[in-house]
Amino acid sequence: MRSKASFRGHPIHPALIPFPFAFLYGAFLFDLAGRVAERPSWWTTGAYLGLVGIVAALIAAVPGFIDYFNTVPPKSSGKKRATKHMLVNLGAVFLFAVAWAIRGNAEVVPDSTVLVLEGIGIVLVTAGGWMGGVLVNRNQIGVDHRYARAGKWNELRIRPQTGQPTVVARSDELQVDQMKLIHIDGQRIVLARTEGGYVAFEDRCTHRGGSLAGGVMIGGVVQCPWHGSQFECRTGGVKAGPAETPVRTYPVSEESGQVKLRLPTG
Ligand code: FES
């Protein structure tokens, strides 16, 4: 699903990641080569690359945090993977920071402890990068998935109106088989238009938690982007697995050109 930290539709986090990756790898390799070849200018370069790499990693982490909290579907296998990705990369940055602190000065030769810490940091940053790739390629985090007639990505954050249905769209806002993701009262709900009118259902595939708003809707049936489960949008019933449990649906009404959503009380 589309990234919340993007510029002109392009996710920012993956665009920044090559910088800390290159700097931290460079830091380790220059330190190691400088130590082996006894070349002070090489390990001094390594020290500064490490410092720049730490700063670049922290900058790249900011859009990553935004996507972690706002884009990755909650209670999903993708969220677990994203949590590991975050912890592993933060661990790598921490190790490089400790290595820098131990060293204290860029001109000081990196001792074995510094090299070991940086080496472990490189292993972690490589594993974290691998997980990040899986998050994009398999979990489609940051992918602006558009199928025929889907229209632009449509998302709304709204507070529920107490004791009454909440207005979530204009009647003419969506075409048939288009969807809109609504964040309301801590829940993610998909509003969709079918041939028979508007419907609403939970934005969580019952298989492993994929975002249905990031899927494809055709003929009133939505298909999960992760493993292809299909659900009938009006009833939430499973049309095709691997999911076995229906998705939750919510009552929707149309009145005076407005679409209203009613959240269950209690
Ligand atoms: S998460 Fe597996 S089909 Fe939706």
Side-chain angles (χ1 to χ4, degrees):
M1 62 181 297
R2 192 168 192 221
S3 166
K4 291 298 290 177
S6 60
F7 178 70
R8 293 180 177 266
H10 194 296
I12 297 171
H13 182 62
L16 294 181
I17 283 306
F19 295 98
F21 213 79
F23 292 143
L24 295 178
Y25 258 84
F28 174 63
L29 293 176
F30 268 94
D31 277 347
L32 185 63
R35 169 89 184 264
V36 171
E38 297 184 359
R39 301 283 289 267
S41 62
W42 290 6
W43 70 61
T44 302
T45 302
Y48 285 122
L49 282 173
L51 196 56
V52 176
I54 292 167
V55 173
L58 294 176
I59 291 171
V62 174
F65 282 130
I66 293 172
D67 278 340
Y68 178 76
F69 289 110
N70 295 286
T71 306
V72 182
K75 297 187 220 157
S76 68
S77 57
K79 193 74 165 187
K80 285 186 196 152
R81 182 171 288 121
T83 303
K84 281 189 211 156
H85 166 74
M86 175 178 67
L87 293 177
V88 163
N89 281 325
L90 288 178
V93 173
F94 175 74
L95 291 181
F96 270 92
V98 172
W100 172 265
I102 289 174
R103 199 169 183 165
N105 187 323
E107 269 118 57
V108 172
V109 60
D111 63 16
S112 299
T113 306
V114 167
L115 288 174
V116 167
L117 287 173
E118 289 182 349
I120 297 171
I122 286 302
V123 171
L124 289 181
V125 97
T126 305
W130 180 282
M131 287 182 234
V134 178
L135 281 166
V136 173
N137 295 313
R138 188 182 303 163
N139 297 124
Q140 302 182 24
I141 306 303
V143 174
D144 189 359
H145 185 71
R146 294 188 196 181
Y147 51 95
R149 299 177 58 211
K152 284 192 174 174
W153 178 257
N154 201 343
E155 192 166 352
L156 174 73
R157 287 175 189 275
I158 195 167
R159 286 180 186 277
Q161 290 155 13
T162 43
Q164 53 184 323
T166 305
V167 176
V168 288
R170 297 186 318 275
S171 289
D172 61 354
E173 192 170 323
L174 300 182
Q175 304 291 316
V176 169
D177 285 341
Q178 288 185 351
M179 298 186 277
K180 176 176 183 175
L181 177 58
I182 316 277
H183 298 260
I184 181 168
D185 200 20
Q187 300 177 63
R188 292 161 58 124
I189 295 173
V190 182
L191 180 73
R193 189 167 184 181
T194 68
E195 291 282 1
Y198 279 92
V199 295
F201 51 90
E202 191 174 16
D203 181 43
R204 184 177 185 280
C205 175
T206 53
H207 179 226
R208 289 194 189 161
S211 165
L212 296 175
V216 175
M217 181 179 169
I218 296 174
V221 173
V222 65
Q223 177 167 307
C224 176
W226 285 6
H227 314 98
S229 291
Q230 295 180 348
F231 302 92
E232 211 282 314
C233 293
R234 180 162 294 281
T235 63
V238 177
K239 294 277 286 184
E244 296 176 344
T245 310
V247 287
R248 185 176 185 184
T249 57
Y250 301 87
V252 176
S253 59
E254 265 188 89
E255 227 176 89
S256 312
Q258 294 180 320
V259 183
K260 296 181 178 178
L261 175 70
R262 184 185 290 278
L263 288 179
T265 49

